[in-house]
Amino acid sequence: MKKLINRPEEVVRQALEGAVALSPGTALLSDENIVIQSGLPDAAARPVAVISGGGSGHEPAHAGYVGRSMLTAAVAGDVFTSPSSDAVLSAIRAVSGPAGAVLIVKNYTGDRLNFGLAAEIARAEGIPVEIVVVADDAALRDTVAPDRRRGLAGTVLVHKITGAAAAQGHCLAAVAAIARDAAQRVSSMGISLGTCILPSVGKPGFVLGEKEVEVGLGIHGEPGVFRMEIASADELVELTLKTILVDGKVRRGDEAVLLVNGLGSTPPLELAILARSALRSLAKGGVTVVRAWAGTFLSALDMQGFSLSVMPVTSRDLPFFDMPVEAQAWPGGGLVNAEPLVAVPSPHDLPIVAQEDQANVSPAGRRLQEIFASAARALIAAEDHLATLDGISGDGDLGASMRRGAEAILDLPEGAFSSVSKGLSTAADRVRRAIAGSSGPFYAAGLMRASRHLATIDEPSASDVAAAFAAAVQAISELGGARPGDRTMVDALQPAASTFEEQIAAGLPLKEAWERAVTAAEEGMRRTIDMRPKLGRASYIGGRVIGSPDAGAAAVTIWLAASGAVEDASHAKT
């Protein structure tokens, strides 16, 4: 187990101390793991208090939602363990006045028992208390009665509505009624790609196969309703929302709010993809989403996965959701973009391939097309190899990048090859668009420079090709600032271009000159095995990459060799 903690028994207190230190509107009780709003008015002037909590490990819930117009206090138990009734009672006493308190409780036995007992004691002391239980887990619709379901991330939406209602000055009965109504309408479901690890246990609660996901799980690392083979984000969202809609709380024609929740280890990139899918799926189902949020709202420690919560709303609800709060973890906003896509203006400098050009492919253009196709197929075949090499020093995306560029090259229309120059410039544009990161600009710059070098030459000679190749390599070197010895693609490109130009000038046939250029590139690539990187991402990790060749240089040798494979000794031109 690797955890950024001190001692397992100290994680809750130290986490609360850190959270409160970053949230000036809150305070931590000195002898309890209870976060409260700071600067509360005198007891007699306090509005209805809104209190929630439960086991820790669900951060930012629940302490992250303490703030004006949301929670008045949050009670934290040990990780995945309900706080004691004494702790809940301390929270009630600390923040409640004559107006009383509403306790929002997720539907787990320990939470219901301890919050319920604390409420009874508080009532006996003269503090009016109402309890609202959230049981929003739609995955259990065929397993248990509605009042026996688990509480999931929909609880946060109930926090928001209830806190706003209390801040507006509603009485205890009204605030409790608004909270219960929200709790009855919200429906949630979660899917996990893996389990979580409790600091005190040090191992996963269950084990999933490499291609398995857990469907309909709770928030404490427990197994779900069933397992299935992992599917796309769209398919998992569709499954989740289908279950929620079948549950019947959300119907076609409803306006609703949507909460896309990460379970702890789900990156914002994936949450945004899930949000996109959920918005589209709900729209297809006739549900209009009027507010939506995506982020980690109620986690399960370091679990990788997500849950979706949907709540149909009325015009009365929206002011509650829109009411500003001071809670650190509530993102605010939630407005949905009605027009997320706009047309991209057509740039004026793109190569335009006319239909009539298709019949005017030049012999040299056809030759270039054959070379491009051979090089592209070789790069596609080498995707895994390049990904492995790139993963040693970077993020391992070079194989995929080269594949995308190669596919773009293979997709070039016939008309692009009416001349070699046009073929090169069109390829530059397609590669620039297809390959992200550094490879795209480098290859595009080289292709563009070569295209300009051959712009006035209909049928390039071998020396013309050699000069264009050298110009392309120079453009790449200028753009990135790389020189031979820096451990980059230039270590393969530069000796290849120099050798090719020298051999052509010496009168060697094109095929033989190219073979020697490929050999020079391969030798240059092999030299990178013992080089310390001086440029690029690999330079950040220094000598750790020694022992393997540079991935960019390896890619160069692959397409150079494949290009030569279609050469013939009888051809003196491209």
Side-chain angles (χ1 to χ4, degrees):
M1 179 183 71
K2 294 181 180 179
K3 295 282 186 182
L4 298 174
I5 62 174
N6 294 310
R7 300 170 61 214
E9 57 268 29
E10 296 175 339
V11 295
V12 174
R13 185 66 183 186
Q14 292 181 355
L16 293 176
E17 290 172 351
V20 169
L22 300 173
S23 180
T26 64
L28 180 62
L29 296 190
S30 60
D31 56 352
E32 294 279 5
N33 288 334
I34 299 169
V35 177
I36 66 171
Q37 287 184 28
S38 58
L40 289 170
D42 292 339
R46 291 175 187 172
V48 173
V50 181
I51 302 171
S52 190
S56 296
H58 302 305
E59 290 70 28
H62 301 79
Y65 303 117
V66 174
R68 300 188 194 284
S69 303
M70 207 159 175
L71 295 184
T72 318
V75 193
D78 289 335
V79 175
F80 292 170
T81 303
S82 172
S84 69
S85 56
D86 285 346
V88 178
L89 182 60
S90 294
I92 296 171
R93 290 169 175 166
V95 299
S96 301
V102 171
L103 309 185
I104 300 175
V105 183
K106 296 187 300 303
N107 197 27
Y108 296 96
T109 301
D111 289 347
R112 293 193 66 158
L113 289 175
N114 285 293
F115 277 81
L117 178 57
E120 285 298 324
I121 298 173
R123 291 175 187 133
E125 294 178 356
I127 304 173
V129 178
E130 293 281 352
I131 295 179
V132 176
V133 177
V134 182
D136 56 325
D137 189 354
L140 299 179
R141 61 181 303 275
D142 296 325
T143 306
V144 297
D147 63 344
R148 302 292 179 86
R149 299 180 186 181
R150 297 171 294 205
L152 300 180
T155 307
V156 179
L157 297 175
V158 180
H159 288 165
K160 181 66 181 74
I161 277 191
T162 310
Q168 289 182 1
H170 292 282
C171 68
L172 178 63
V175 173
I178 290 169
R180 290 192 183 102
D181 181 48
Q184 290 169 2
R185 283 181 286 147
V186 68
S187 188
S188 303
M189 179 174 159
I191 292 180
S192 172
L193 280 64
T195 187
C196 56
I197 299 176
L198 276 69
S200 60
V201 176
K203 61 181 180 180
F206 61 86
V207 178
L208 281 174
E210 184 177 343
K211 296 183 178 181
E212 284 185 320
V213 296
E214 195 82 26
V215 179
L217 73 168
I219 54 173
H220 299 107
E222 69 271 41
V225 176
F226 66 91
R227 291 181 182 180
M228 59 176 277
E229 186 172 334
I230 190 169
S232 69
D234 287 349
E235 291 168 326
L236 294 178
V237 165
E238 192 75 23
L239 169 64
T240 304
L241 290 177
K242 180 180 179 181
T243 305
I244 288 174
L245 292 174
V246 168
D247 195 32
K249 294 181 181 180
V250 186
R251 299 180 176 87
R252 177 177 289 274
D254 281 344
E255 291 189 338
V257 297
L258 166 69
L259 191 75
V260 181
N261 175 58
L263 297 179
S265 292
T266 310
L269 175 79
E270 295 176 21
L271 291 174
I273 292 171
L274 295 167
R276 165 193 175 274
S277 297
L279 289 168
R280 292 185 176 190
S281 182
L282 286 169
K284 185 172 66 175
V287 178
T288 302
V289 177
V290 292
R291 300 289 185 274
W293 302 268
T296 300
F297 297 93
L298 195 150
S299 65
L301 288 171
D302 54 350
M303 184 177 287
Q304 185 181 7
F306 72 97
S307 66
L308 301 179
S309 300
V310 186
M311 177 192 292
V313 294
T314 66
S315 57
R316 181 197 69 176
D317 298 315
L318 290 183
F320 291 146
F321 282 113
D322 293 340
M323 188 172 183
V325 302
E326 297 179 9
Q328 183 187 39
W330 180 251
L335 293 175
V336 178
N337 192 350
E339 297 182 8
L341 298 178
V342 295
V344 178
S346 297
H348 299 294
D349 59 345
L350 288 182
I352 299 174
V353 180
Q355 287 295 114
E356 57 268 22
D357 286 340
Q358 294 186 11
N360 298 321
V361 177
S362 69
R366 181 68 69 191
R367 193 69 179 150
L368 177 64
Q369 186 180 31
E370 294 171 358
I371 292 171
F372 272 174
S374 180
R377 287 192 292 267
L379 286 171
I380 291 172
E383 177 178 358
D384 291 344
H385 173 61
L386 293 176
T388 299
L389 288 179
D390 190 42
I392 296 171
S393 60
D395 52 12
D397 67 344
L398 182 65
S401 294
M402 291 292 98
R403 173 183 50 78
R404 288 194 299 270
E407 289 170 346
I409 291 294
L410 289 173
D411 195 43
L412 289 174
E414 286 277 310
F417 299 97
S418 58
S419 71
V420 171
S421 177
K422 188 171 187 178
L424 292 169
S425 64
T426 307
D429 177 69
R430 295 295 179 90
V431 166
R432 172 173 61 87
R433 293 169 177 271
I435 305 179
S438 58
S439 296
F442 284 141
Y443 279 108
L447 289 164
M448 291 172 63
R449 183 74 63 87
S451 172
R452 290 202 304 274
H453 196 84
L454 300 173
T456 61
I457 304 173
D458 293 331
E459 292 291 318
S461 66
S463 59
D464 292 330
V465 173
F469 186 14
V473 174
Q474 183 178 359
I476 291 171
S477 183
E478 290 173 355
L479 182 63
R483 298 184 298 272
D486 287 341
R487 200 180 194 273
T488 69
M489 63 193 297
V490 172
D491 285 293
L493 282 172
Q494 187 67 54
S498 298
T499 298
F500 186 56
E501 199 167 28
E502 291 167 1
Q503 299 305 311
I504 291 296
L508 262 70
L510 181 64
K511 179 179 176 61
E512 186 175 345
W514 190 262
E515 289 174 349
R516 295 190 181 188
V518 172
T519 299
E522 292 170 344
E523 291 174 352
M525 181 266 290
R526 283 191 289 271
R527 284 194 292 271
T528 66
I529 293 174
D530 298 319
M531 289 181 188
R532 292 182 65 90
K534 298 176 183 177
L535 280 179
R537 191 174 298 167
S539 64
Y540 307 149
I541 58 176
R544 292 174 62 183
V545 300
I546 293 177
S548 63
D550 177 69
V556 167
T557 64
I558 289 168
W559 62 257
L560 281 174
S563 300
V566 296
E567 290 296 341
D568 188 275
S570 64
H571 285 83
K573 299 181 179 181
T574 61

